[in-house]
Amino acid sequence: MDAILLIDFGSTYTKLTAVDIENEEIIGTAKALTTVNEDIMIGFNNAFKILKDNLKKEDVNFTDKLACSSAAGGLKMIAIGLVPELTAEAAKRAALGAGARILGVYSYELSKSEIDDIKSKNPDIILLAGGTDGGNKDCIIHNANLLAKNIKNVPVVVAGNKNSRDEIEEIFKAEGIYYKATENVMPRLNVINVEPAREVIREIFMEKIIEAKGMKKAESFINGILMPTPAAVLKAARILADGTDKEEGIGELVVIDIGGATTDVHSIAKGEPSKPGVTLRGLQEPYAKRTVEGDLGMRVSAVSLFEAAGTRRIKKFVPDTPFDVEERCRFLQRNVNIVPNSAEEVEFDEALGMVATEMAMERHVGVIESVYTPMGIIYSQVGKDLLNVKYLIGTGGILVHSSNPKKILSAGLFSMESPNYLKPQSPDILIDKTYILSAMGLLSEKYPDKAIRIMKKYMVKM
Amino acid sequence: MKKTIVLGVIGADCHAVGNKILEHAFTQAGFNVINIGVLSPQEDFINAAIETNAEAILVSSLYGHGEIDCRGLREKCDEAGLKDILLYVGGNLVVGKQDWNSVEQRFKDMGFNRVYPPGTSPDTAINDLKHDLGVE
């Protein structure tokens, strides 16, 4: 039988998914600890052996082997722009959508100490933006000069004012900086254009970063590490929502991924005001938007989650817990591999998942504000209105293994307690029970129609 | 090259019609108009001017609170590095029947280069702007 092998080199586990492409079925999954420090292939082979044992009855021939990766710290990026709310924010959104982990966002003309700061964070790629097309170019040229003189070994994506591009290319060429120039992330005021920058980031990821992280070796056995894992999830979400040339999509949706270290939210939706008389303000939102909350996680970030939420907010979801909230969070952060056993432990984990969901959604969705004017109250909206999104999809360990994923995800729904957050009102809730979203993002590179049909089949409605 | 200007209605003011007319008139007159629209705080004018390298900021205020909304705009521009950027303001700037000369003087004291009373034709401001920017 012919099959396709999809690989996710995660930060902790290397996960394999085998897909029977003819019948559009998942025929097996397996995972083993990622071994990026010694040799990435050890972990892969361990997982591959488990997978083969599971499939032993059948003679499987893998025609394609495609991978995504968030190992070795994922894709670490710095975003630089001019005004914090404008090009710096647009650059940040472009990098997030490319599946990056943002180490820092910088604006205006950089100083020497900021350059040192960037250096010490050890980024994989720097995204340099600033100015609308035809707008300010002094700032981005100043920053290009400083980067070129002081940071020689980090690839730079140039996505700023097009009128500055020639000059920046000269600067980088003269200093021997590896760079790629592309379209401006904000060509006109408040208009964003993140796709070209995302694509270039992915190119550099494949050409340079894989090798820099010592994963080149994997490419002799597999066909390629195509993208960072979060980019694969966003891609899967997008295909599932929009459909393909032949297959219809399911419509606007939100994906929540609650992990040990971060909580990611992806929304595939236009986000325009759903109520009449609302004025939209601020920077345009990307149709496919990803936000990452680095302080909201179940294990590695349990203490920062506690610090962000506080005892009362966590207790709201688990009022009768025998644990001291702060102590339990510190315990979980110290013991990141712990699996909850007793009913109390499970309940506490669920509460953490609910708080993470609630807060990550609040930060992702748009906010409506009432403005008091001489003409009466009017409403202004900043961000995406997701009230009418049709599906809320959950993925990540806590949701996949929970017996009560619907309860956890419900914390991300619209609530009259805080009606100014434009969260989904009554979506259908789906769970990525077989953990296939990132794998389907990869599969869709080659077989988009099959990827969407498999997703429709394997997402479980709650 | 076209001169870039930032246009918008300041404060909690949502009068959108005049804003559209001005956008049309200044675009027709050959300017690159960055229209930030209604309900715009001072910071939005300034941020837009920085990113787009604008040479003038045109502020409209129709609802009578212009004096409160415009206070400090010049100082914030100075702070943001927009040195000597042209600031124009026009509309129903104050409430009630006040002497225009004193109104104009108050806004000039705030650092506005040109101040226009209600009923001003867009052409007047366009001609002034061309003159102030040295383009004909």
Side-chain angles (χ1 to χ4, degrees):
Chain A
M1 172 178 41
D2 282 350
I4 291 187
L5 184 62
L6 304 157
I7 305 139
D8 175 5
F9 293 107
S11 49
T12 318
Y13 289 105
T14 296
K15 287 158 261 184
L16 307 184
T17 307
V19 176
D20 171 357
I21 207 67
E22 187 102 22
N23 298 313
E24 298 175 356
E25 269 175 2
I26 312 282
I27 50 175
T29 59
K31 68 176 181 179
L33 285 171
T34 298
T35 51
V36 75
N37 293 330
E38 313 97 86
D39 174 356
I40 189 98
M41 293 309 286
I42 299 174
F44 170 80
N45 284 325
N46 290 342
F48 196 54
K49 192 171 173 300
I50 299 170
L51 183 72
K52 276 200 159 160
D53 289 346
N54 292 346
L55 297 172
K56 62 180 170 244
K57 277 165 269 163
E58 298 172 70
D59 186 24
V60 179
N61 167 38
F62 289 109
T63 54
D64 283 291
K65 305 183 190 81
L66 305 172
C68 57
S69 161
S70 56
L75 174 61
K76 295 174 291 180
M77 285 189 65
I78 296 280
I80 303 171
L82 173 51
V83 173
E85 296 88 351
L86 297 172
T87 43
E89 176 66 24
K92 179 183 158 193
R93 288 182 191 173
L96 281 173
R101 240 179 75 204
I102 306 286
L103 303 178
V105 181
Y106 297 82
S107 44
Y108 303 116
E109 291 185 356
L110 293 170
S111 64
K112 263 289 177 51
S113 65
E114 283 177 314
I115 290 282
D116 292 341
D117 199 35
I118 293 173
K119 257 189 192 167
S120 71
K121 286 178 175 161
N122 197 15
D124 297 319
I125 300 177
I126 294 171
L127 175 57
L128 178 63
T132 53
D133 284 348
N136 182 296
K137 57 180 187 178
D138 301 340
C139 176
I140 189 171
I141 289 172
H142 168 96
N143 291 342
N145 264 314
L146 267 187
L147 289 176
K149 294 218 166 62
N150 296 292
I151 303 180
K152 303 276 184 195
N153 53 355
V154 180
V156 181
V157 174
V158 183
N161 183 354
K162 75 177 171 67
N163 303 54
S164 65
R165 186 158 154 181
D166 293 348
E167 210 169 317
I168 291 173
E169 296 207 32
E170 272 173 36
I171 294 166
F172 283 166
K173 274 181 192 144
E175 295 286 340
I177 304 294
Y178 183 91
Y179 75 94
K180 277 185 189 238
T182 184
E183 290 172 36
N184 196 345
V185 288
M186 194 178 87
R188 286 177 292 131
L189 188 80
N190 283 340
V191 174
I192 62 162
N193 175 39
V194 290
E195 297 300 332
R198 284 179 183 178
E199 199 43 49
V200 170
I201 292 167
R202 192 161 85 96
E203 283 169 20
I204 295 184
F205 175 80
M206 288 199 293
E207 287 166 20
K208 287 267 170 189
I209 309 304
I210 294 302
E211 191 169 1
K213 289 191 184 295
M215 297 193 289
K216 196 77 189 166
K217 209 169 171 188
E219 298 205 325
S220 57
F221 181 72
I222 60 181
N223 304 81
I225 300 178
L226 301 178
M227 57 184 97
T229 306
V233 175
L234 190 61
K235 177 131 209 244
R238 198 166 178 164
I239 290 243
L240 182 60
D242 294 351
T244 61
D245 181 41
K246 295 199 187 84
E247 197 72 27
E248 206 176 350
I250 64 171
E252 297 195 333
L253 56 85
V254 174
V255 176
I256 300 185
D257 182 350
I258 310 172
T262 65
T263 298
D264 290 25
V265 181
H266 309 251
S267 65
I268 314 294
K270 287 201 186 76
E272 282 158 3
S274 57
K275 301 259 179 343
V278 176
T279 312
L280 196 54
R281 291 196 45 241
L283 185 63
Q284 186 193 9
E285 294 282 338
Y287 171 67
K289 179 178 182 173
R290 167 174 178 249
T291 49
V292 180
E293 308 309 336
D295 60 340
L296 306 179
M298 302 292 298
R299 293 290 180 271
V300 179
S301 309
V303 172
S304 54
L305 186 150
F306 164 76
E307 281 162 359
T311 302
R312 268 177 287 129
R313 193 160 183 179
I314 296 172
K315 276 226 164 174
K316 188 174 85 184
F317 296 112
V318 55
D320 304 320
T321 186
F323 297 111
D324 178 272
V325 174
E326 180 172 1
E327 243 168 57
R328 178 72 186 169
C329 287
R330 291 194 185 281
F331 173 79
L332 290 173
Q333 180 155 338
R334 279 196 308 272
N335 301 281
V336 294
N337 291 324
I338 209 155
V339 177
N341 282 319
S342 70
E344 288 85 12
E345 287 169 3
V346 169
E347 208 182 38
F348 192 87
D349 259 20
E350 285 177 356
L352 286 188
M354 290 172 85
V355 173
T357 303
E358 185 180 68
M359 293 180 70
M361 280 298 277
E362 279 178 6
R363 296 179 192 172
H364 182 93
V365 302
V367 178
I368 206 156
E369 273 176 12
S370 29
V371 184
Y372 298 90
T373 78
M375 287 79 74
I377 296 181
I378 52 166
Y379 297 96
S380 93
Q381 174 187 332
V382 177
K384 287 173 116 172
D385 178 342
L386 300 178
L387 285 172
N388 293 331
V389 160
K390 283 159 87 180
Y391 293 95
L392 181 61
I393 302 175
T395 182
I398 169 92
L399 290 168
V400 172
H401 297 124
S402 169
S403 57
N404 220 346
K406 190 171 182 177
K407 179 177 134 198
I408 298 173
L409 284 178
S410 298
L413 299 182
F414 177 83
S415 138
M416 273 321 280
E417 273 176 44
S418 45
N420 47 335
Y421 292 109
L422 303 169
K423 300 186 202 175
Q425 219 158 5
S426 49
D428 284 343
I429 292 181
L430 307 178
I431 296 294
D432 176 20
K433 202 77 198 169
T434 26
Y435 225 150
I436 56 164
L437 273 181
S438 60
M440 290 306 111
L442 283 170
L443 185 66
S444 70
E445 285 282 294
K446 246 189 150 168
Y447 304 99
D449 297 322
K450 290 182 187 294
I452 183 173
R453 283 197 291 266
I454 293 173
M455 279 191 278
K456 283 180 181 173
K457 199 148 87 182
Y458 282 87
M459 293 292 138
V460 182
K461 191 170 167 183
M462 289 294 126
Chain B
M1 211 174 115
K2 280 185 175 181
K3 299 280 184 187
T4 299
I5 60 169
V6 172
L7 175 73
V9 186
I10 201 164
D13 187 346
C14 51
H15 287 91
V17 178
N19 173 260
K20 296 283 177 211
I21 293 172
L22 287 176
E23 177 180 351
H24 178 74
F26 278 86
T27 305
Q28 286 296 307
F31 291 97
N32 175 29
V33 181
I34 311 296
N35 188 2
I36 61 171
V38 299
L39 291 174
S40 296
Q42 289 185 356
E43 290 72 18
D44 285 11
F45 284 91
I46 291 168
N47 287 340
I50 293 174
E51 289 279 8
T52 61
N53 223 19
E55 297 188 54
I57 293 176
L58 276 58
V59 179
S60 303
S61 177
L62 280 300
Y63 72 152
H65 299 233
E67 198 178 337
I68 299 166
D69 293 337
C70 289
R71 216 174 271 160
L73 181 60
R74 173 59 78 189
E75 288 77 3
K76 287 206 189 85
C77 284
D78 289 345
E79 197 70 55
L82 295 170
K83 259 182 249 129
D84 304 324
I85 191 168
L86 287 173
L87 294 182
Y88 286 18
V89 65
N92 298 316
L93 298 177
V94 292
V95 188
K97 285 199 174 91
Q98 299 188 30
D99 171 46
W100 174 247
N101 288 329
S102 91
V103 173
E104 185 179 16
Q105 194 53 49
R106 262 181 274 156
F107 278 85
K108 287 207 161 162
D109 290 346
M110 277 191 242
F112 284 88
N113 302 80
R114 303 264 184 186
V115 187
Y116 299 104
T120 307
S121 154
D123 288 336
T124 312
I126 287 168
N127 289 333
D128 287 344
L129 187 58
K130 284 184 173 169
H131 176 265
D132 289 352
L133 292 174
V135 285
E136 255 342 300

